[in-house]
Amino acid sequence: MRNHDYNPAEVEKKWQKNWNASNLYTVPEKPNGKKFYILDMFPYPSGEGLHVGHPKGYIATDVVARFKMLNGFSVLHPMGWDAFGLPAENYAIKNKVHPRMAVEKNVARYKQQLEKFGFTYDWNREIDTTDPNYYKWTQWIFLQMWEKGLAFQSNEPVNWCPSCKTVLANEDLEDGKCERCGSEITQRPLRQWVLKMTDYADRLLYDLDSDEIDWEEMIVEQQRNWIGRSEGVEIDFAIEDSDSLFKVYTTRVDTIFGCTYCVIAPEHKLIEELQGQIENYSEVMEYIALANKKTVLQRTELQKEKTGVELKGIKAINPFNNEEVRVFVGDYVLGSYGTGAVMAVPAHDERDYEFAKKYCLEIRKSIDVGGRDMEDGAITEDGIVIDSADYSGLTSSEARKRMADWLERNGKGGLKVNYKMRDWVFSRQRYWGEPIPLVHCEKCGIVGIPESQLPVVLPNVKSYEPTDTGESPLAAITDWVNTTCPTCGGPAKRETNTMPQWGGSCWYYLRYIDPKNENSLIDADKEKDWMNVDLYVGGAEHATRHLLYARFWHKFLFDIGVVTTKEPFHKLMHVGLIMAEDGRKMSKRWNNVVNPDDVISAYGADAMRTYEAFMGPFTQAIAWSTNGVIGVRRFLDRVWRLQYKIADIETDIKLNKLAHQTIKKVSSDIENFRFNTAVSTMMILMNELERQTTVSRELYKNLLLLLAPFAPHITDELWERLGNKESIFKSSWPEYSESIANQEDDLFAIVVQVNGKVRDQLEITAGTTKEDIERLALASEKIQKFISGQTIKKIVYVEKKLVSIVV
Ligand code: ANZ
Ligand code: ZN
């Protein structure tokens, strides 16, 4: 007996070594012919290491990368580490190690785990956002933004996490809580660096529809909503007996004749301005103090009771009918959106309706939608304008146009576009981030560090725990903070805030193209050769944060001539989560985490890879199943055993057709991220082959090629055993014939037996009658040899399978 056992540990070690030794995955500086840039969202190396859910996306990109290699592309498929930021720092604090050491250790562990999968990464291009040679360029980009006025200081109240002791961007909040630790966020005025992302709001929105973007609609929609473009008008409401006025923002100016009062946000500056005129000022101040304790979420929740206090002694004037309306302060109006003030139309706005009911305010209908009344709440749809002077009888949209015109002509307001998206609060009061490369000079003010002095290296310190003061721990390191001004040489202090964890990931895809360039962020020719990223794969949780920030920076880099594409990522796919076997999220807490190292040592990396590809539709959440891995492992065992059936025979017609269909299906399935059906299609071919006593070499070769992107080690081994001298990945993807693959419908094969023995095989066109098939069988030359001169006792036809002749 031969030893038929497939030993993945041995095979995988051998091929990983071979691939390394032959630099199989070294990416050329310049693509040879067609290029394909395929990118994974790089991980932040956490202390826990990888669980089996993490590599699902990496496996998918590796399958596509190998498929593209086999199709003659120069493939760039790099990997690196997003290692700055809160998670790394919090881990370090908890485990009492310096973040630098923690990151080094975790990176080494991640890399060791990833290497076991046999991925196509070119490790010569590895990047680490915490490497000064990398963040030199992150700082450089910041400086360019600052020079262009896109980075500015602000003292506005910002989201403050009392537990992480740092400010957070709106994008870092989940349901109004810290996305990292779940703490309630408070608002705190602090000096901050802010990036003017709103300058790019329109381009970020409209370019979602450009040819450069081919993303899943779900993610595009999330970005649209996050950007939140709103078209409306601003209207000046004058204050009676005063020179003051306030502006309201509304998308429904057509309802203005139904406005019965106005509401301003607790943070509105009008309140202080009118202090002398407001009769119940202390009551108002009490209300404001209460409102300040609430989070934005608590204030905007639809179900929450709407509250407010009237500003007694204040009346505003509706410019359309010169009517006096009462003015309230109410915390359902946000200071940070629009103008921080609204005209309230309780008949047509639900929040206003609720508020009006509560405080017994007039509800006046100004839109008719055909009979329906307001018993059950506001009528919020468009309709026909009524009781609105000259505008009565117009449709809502027509009225909006004419009213906006009127406002503009009379200097009382006009069209206005607002965005939900805010500018990006870009500084953090933490240690583990890129230092912001600016100094504060007594004489010159804020001065940028010249490019020749970059990077500003993060000083190595013993104590890096965050402080409550709103100052970064860097502020305590006086010999680092005190420096000289690059402009005048006088004494200056370094900026001590650091960048958020999303800085380094805004442009890393560019650095992979030219990772060692010391003179510029990226070489211009290389950028043209490789950009954009053809396929980007990662978690859906990045739909609004990373993907928006990176697009923003990319557009800025486009504007200053660093890149030539408008968008960084052409096609985008999100990975569905892998849940634990018990259906819950994999977590240490539930003790249900599966470690890929264990799976690989039990069943092999090829089984693990192929299983993750096979387990279900790529973007869906799916539970892990160890039995599933075992099933896939058996499939690989069978592919292995098939090598002993190879013979130099011609492929029979039926199998040949199936083979062509399989090539066609696997090719399009890989292109379309249907890895699961690609694998099951190969399994069907495999079953057919197993039924044969011998298998044609040609067919087996093709099966190996199709399987190679999924199970690269075993296929390279079997390829070598077929007598090939070079890696299977130096070969090329099998071709299929459309006409053979499509034969299914119009041709089928039947076997002809004489006295129970197979003597011929015939190709029959669909629609041929039973009689004709029998006639063809009898007429066949091969059959004639066995029947000529004999009496035919019986002919049996089994539909689409066989003609059996008894003589
Ligand atoms: C009057 C009105 C009448 C409104 C009506 C709606 C319906 P989007 O689409 O989100 O932009 N609004 C304006 N500023 C606000 C703020 N700072 N806080 C809370 N609400 C605010 O919605 C714009 C609408 O949201 C505006 O149009 C305003 O209410 C409210 F029948 O004005 B509307
Ligand atoms: Zn100076």
Side-chain angles (χ1 to χ4, degrees):
M1 261 287 281
R2 289 168 86 157
N3 177 11
H4 286 188
D5 280 348
Y6 154 50
N7 179 346
E10 214 172 83
V11 170
E12 286 167 10
K13 208 157 98 212
K14 168 180 163 185
W15 285 97
Q16 284 168 17
K17 222 167 111 197
N18 281 358
W19 295 333
N20 279 341
S22 64
N23 294 322
L24 185 62
Y25 307 125
T26 303
V27 181
E29 291 290 296
K30 206 179 160 57
N32 307 317
K34 303 176 286 182
K35 69 95 185 177
F36 199 81
Y37 185 0
I38 182 164
L39 183 69
D40 299 287
M41 288 184 189
F42 64 164
Y44 87 84
S46 82
E48 270 116 64
L50 292 173
H51 70 54
V52 291
H54 298 119
K56 188 175 166 195
Y58 310 155
I59 291 168
T61 52
D62 205 58
V63 169
V64 178
R66 289 176 186 277
F67 170 74
K68 291 288 177 186
M69 280 173 74
L70 284 164
N71 278 285
F73 286 79
S74 280
V75 176
L76 175 56
H77 181 217
M79 186 42 86
W81 318 105
D82 186 17
F84 264 139
L86 277 180
E89 186 170 353
N90 286 348
Y91 170 86
I93 290 170
K94 195 168 142 215
N95 294 283
K96 303 207 165 21
V97 281
H98 192 278
R100 164 60 57 214
M101 304 310 290
V103 163
E104 266 171 27
K105 191 171 140 245
N106 296 346
V107 163
R109 165 120 179 80
Y110 261 61
K111 202 168 162 180
Q112 193 190 33
Q113 285 190 294
L114 288 179
E115 280 175 338
K116 293 187 183 166
F117 285 85
F119 290 134
T120 48
Y121 305 140
D122 178 354
W123 288 111
N124 297 318
R125 291 172 183 262
E126 174 180 1
I127 56 171
D128 173 346
T129 54
T130 69
D131 176 352
N133 293 322
Y134 178 87
Y135 68 69
K136 168 180 177 179
W137 298 106
T138 313
Q139 292 175 334
W140 182 86
I141 298 170
F142 178 89
L143 280 173
Q144 308 308 307
M145 290 192 158
W146 178 69
E147 273 163 22
K148 298 268 174 322
L150 281 170
F152 63 96
Q153 283 191 100
S154 144
N155 283 297
E156 302 280 298
V158 282
N159 305 311
W160 173 260
C161 172
S163 159
C164 291
K165 297 179 181 168
T166 184
V167 307
L168 297 173
N170 285 351
E171 287 85 353
D172 293 325
L173 308 186
E174 236 172 56
D175 298 337
K177 296 189 176 129
C178 173
E179 177 252 358
R180 274 289 139 212
C181 70
S183 304
E184 288 281 351
I185 296 304
T186 59
Q187 298 292 310
R188 178 172 179 177
L190 267 185
R191 183 185 65 86
Q192 293 303 327
W193 283 96
V194 179
L195 300 184
K196 242 169 170 285
M197 187 153 67
T198 49
D199 273 13
Y200 284 75
D202 266 335
R203 284 162 68 188
L204 288 169
L205 180 68
Y206 294 130
D207 288 347
L208 287 171
D209 297 323
S210 80
D211 290 346
E212 285 191 31
I213 281 202
D214 174 18
W215 291 10
E216 291 162 284
E217 188 51 31
M218 173 194 87
I219 304 218
V220 169
E221 199 49 32
Q222 283 186 54
Q223 290 226 339
R224 278 200 197 106
N225 291 337
W226 188 267
I227 295 165
R229 188 176 198 275
S230 162
E231 279 179 26
V233 296
E234 276 185 7
I235 307 167
D236 293 345
F237 274 69
I239 308 269
E240 189 141 84
D241 304 328
S242 150
D243 295 334
S244 303
L245 60 75
F246 64 92
K247 290 177 185 297
V248 305
Y249 174 69
T250 179
T251 47
R252 293 296 307 274
V253 63
D254 54 307
T255 66
I256 194 161
F257 285 83
C259 165
T260 51
Y261 62 99
C262 284
V263 186
I264 64 176
E267 0 345 55
H268 204 291
K269 62 180 191 323
L270 191 73
I271 295 167
E272 210 189 302
E273 217 177 293
L274 298 179
Q275 184 171 357
Q277 229 176 306
I278 299 173
E279 290 157 10
N280 57 340
Y281 195 70
S282 60
E283 188 193 357
V284 169
M285 290 320 278
E286 262 169 50
Y287 176 80
I288 291 172
L290 227 71
N292 280 343
K293 291 206 183 112
K294 295 191 197 165
T295 63
V296 169
L297 184 80
Q298 287 168 338
R299 285 173 52 172
T300 49
E301 247 179 343
L302 274 178
Q303 303 89 314
K304 275 274 149 63
E305 197 177 14
K306 313 284 171 288
T307 61
V309 169
E310 185 175 356
L311 305 183
K312 296 266 169 63
I314 304 293
K315 290 277 189 292
I317 298 178
N318 178 341
F320 277 89
N321 56 11
N322 294 318
E323 231 179 76
E324 278 181 9
V325 294
R326 294 153 78 178
V327 181
F328 289 77
V329 53
D331 66 12
Y332 73 98
V333 176
L334 299 178
S336 55
Y337 185 66
T339 59
V342 304
M343 64 174 209
V345 185
H348 304 294
D349 181 279
E350 269 157 22
R351 292 158 301 182
D352 299 342
Y353 182 85
E354 228 184 281
F355 190 88
K357 281 273 174 199
K358 178 164 177 192
Y359 295 105
C360 301
L361 302 165
E362 188 194 348
I363 299 175
R364 188 194 298 167
K365 201 168 143 185
S366 63
I367 301 289
D368 185 57
V369 292
R372 193 148 56 78
D373 229 356
M374 302 172 305
E375 307 297 83
D376 314 308
I379 295 171
T380 56
E381 307 95 303
D382 277 6
I384 302 295
V385 174
I386 55 168
D387 297 333
S388 302
D390 291 349
Y391 301 96
S392 298
L394 297 177
T395 62
S396 286
S397 69
E398 189 56 33
R400 282 196 286 270
K401 272 188 219 128
R402 298 215 195 159
M403 287 170 165
D405 271 357
W406 184 87
L407 285 168
E408 264 159 26
R409 265 185 288 132
N410 292 278
K412 300 202 171 179
L415 292 172
K416 171 81 187 169
V417 171
N418 271 318
Y419 296 93
K420 294 265 148 44
M421 188 177 85
R422 302 276 76 123
D423 284 328
W424 180 9
V425 177
F426 193 70
S427 43
R428 298 289 179 275
Q429 294 66 49
R430 297 287 299 234
Y431 168 68
W432 193 236
E434 301 87 344
I436 290 178
L438 298 170
V439 301
H440 301 260
C441 168
E442 287 162 22
K443 260 198 248 145
C444 317
I446 297 171
V447 178
I449 302 289
E451 184 176 333
S452 61
Q453 291 174 33
L454 294 180
V456 177
V457 177
L458 188 63
N460 201 353
V461 294
K462 287 225 172 60
S463 164
Y464 49 83
E465 305 221 350
T467 65
D468 285 308
T469 60
E471 282 218 75
S472 154
L474 289 179
I477 310 167
T478 40
D479 32 328
W480 183 79
V481 173
N482 294 322
T483 183
T484 49
C485 168
T487 305
C488 72
K493 287 190 186 306
R494 287 190 192 280
E495 172 62 54
T496 57
N497 285 324
T498 54
M499 299 188 198
Q501 75 210 62
W502 307 101
S505 57
C506 275
W507 70 279
Y508 74 114
Y509 54 92
L510 293 172
R511 195 61 178 175
Y512 283 132
I513 293 172
D514 197 9
K516 307 213 162 77
N517 193 332
E518 290 184 358
N519 305 314
S520 66
L521 185 160
I522 184 172
D523 173 78
D525 287 333
K526 290 182 185 167
E527 186 276 332
K528 280 198 204 79
D529 285 340
W530 288 103
M531 280 301 282
N532 1 8
V533 174
D534 295 280
L535 174 65
Y536 196 21
V537 176
E541 70 276 16
H542 294 301
T544 47
R545 241 183 315 192
H546 161 59
L547 286 171
L548 203 60
Y549 295 151
R551 291 183 61 222
F552 162 43
W553 278 39
H554 191 87
K555 287 181 184 308
F556 172 72
L557 292 174
F558 176 85
D559 291 347
I560 63 169
V562 175
V563 298
T564 54
T565 63
K566 285 196 294 183
E567 287 287 334
F569 315 121
H570 177 61
K571 188 177 166 102
L572 178 79
M573 290 298 294
H574 87 273
V575 196
L577 282 182
I578 295 185
M579 314 303 278
E581 210 135 2
D582 60 12
R584 287 191 285 200
K585 232 176 144 157
M586 268 190 205
S587 152
K588 254 189 164 160
R589 195 159 120 221
W590 307 118
N591 195 27
N592 58 7
V593 176
V594 183
N595 183 330
D597 299 348
D598 299 338
V599 179
I600 289 174
S601 69
Y603 309 104
D606 283 337
M608 159 113 194
R609 292 170 56 112
T610 311
Y611 167 67
E612 290 209 359
F614 178 59
M615 68 192 301
F618 181 70
T619 57
Q620 274 176 30
I622 236 142
W624 178 262
S625 154
T626 300
N627 277 334
V629 187
I630 294 170
V632 169
R633 168 59 196 273
R634 282 203 199 108
F635 164 61
L636 297 181
D637 285 334
R638 289 158 63 201
V639 172
W640 179 269
R641 285 196 297 266
L642 218 50
Q643 67 179 302
Y644 305 114
K645 281 195 182 181
I646 295 169
D648 287 305
I649 52 162
E650 261 190 55
T651 308
D652 87 30
I653 299 165
K654 221 173 104 191
L655 274 179
N656 192 40
K657 190 189 313 163
L658 182 62
H660 281 256
Q661 286 168 344
T662 308
I663 298 169
K664 180 180 177 184
K665 176 97 169 91
V666 173
S667 310
S668 79
D669 278 354
I670 293 178
E671 295 267 15
N672 294 301
F673 265 66
R674 291 190 299 253
F675 308 112
N676 55 332
T677 52
V679 175
S680 59
T681 306
M682 287 186 274
M683 287 174 168
I684 291 169
L685 178 63
M686 165 74 219
N687 289 342
E688 253 345 287
L689 295 182
E690 253 185 353
R691 274 188 210 121
Q692 315 296 316
T693 35
T694 51
V695 169
S696 93
R697 182 178 300 274
E698 194 55 32
L699 237 171
Y700 190 60
K701 261 177 75 176
N702 284 349
L703 175 65
L704 294 182
L705 282 164
L706 296 182
L707 185 58
F710 300 85
H713 311 85
I714 185 176
T715 48
D716 224 351
E717 174 68 23
L718 293 167
W719 187 255
E720 188 185 61
R721 289 172 180 224
L722 285 180
N724 292 296
K725 293 277 170 289
E726 275 198 316
S727 164
I728 191 169
F729 298 101
K730 292 271 187 182
S731 177
S732 53
W733 192 250
E735 286 178 12
Y736 64 89
S737 141
E738 197 70 56
S739 62
I740 298 178
N742 287 337
Q743 268 170 13
E744 193 175 34
D745 294 324
D746 40 52
L747 280 183
F748 56 90
I750 62 159
V751 157
V752 186
Q753 294 180 343
V754 179
N755 289 351
K757 286 209 172 96
V758 176
R759 298 300 185 185
D760 197 9
Q761 181 178 302
L762 296 176
E763 204 167 89
I764 304 292
T765 315
T768 312
T769 63
K770 174 173 176 272
E771 289 71 26
D772 280 346
I773 292 171
E774 287 173 6
R775 222 166 277 144
L776 283 168
L778 293 170
S780 137
E781 247 178 75
K782 285 183 188 161
I783 298 300
Q784 275 298 318
K785 275 204 291 198
F786 295 97
I787 61 170
S788 64
Q790 307 197 49
T791 345
I792 292 168
K793 289 194 187 136
K794 201 161 112 188
I795 298 190
V796 177
Y797 172 57
V798 180
E799 174 120 26
K800 290 200 172 171
K801 284 215 173 88
L802 142 118
V803 175
S804 169
I805 303 167
V806 182
V807 292

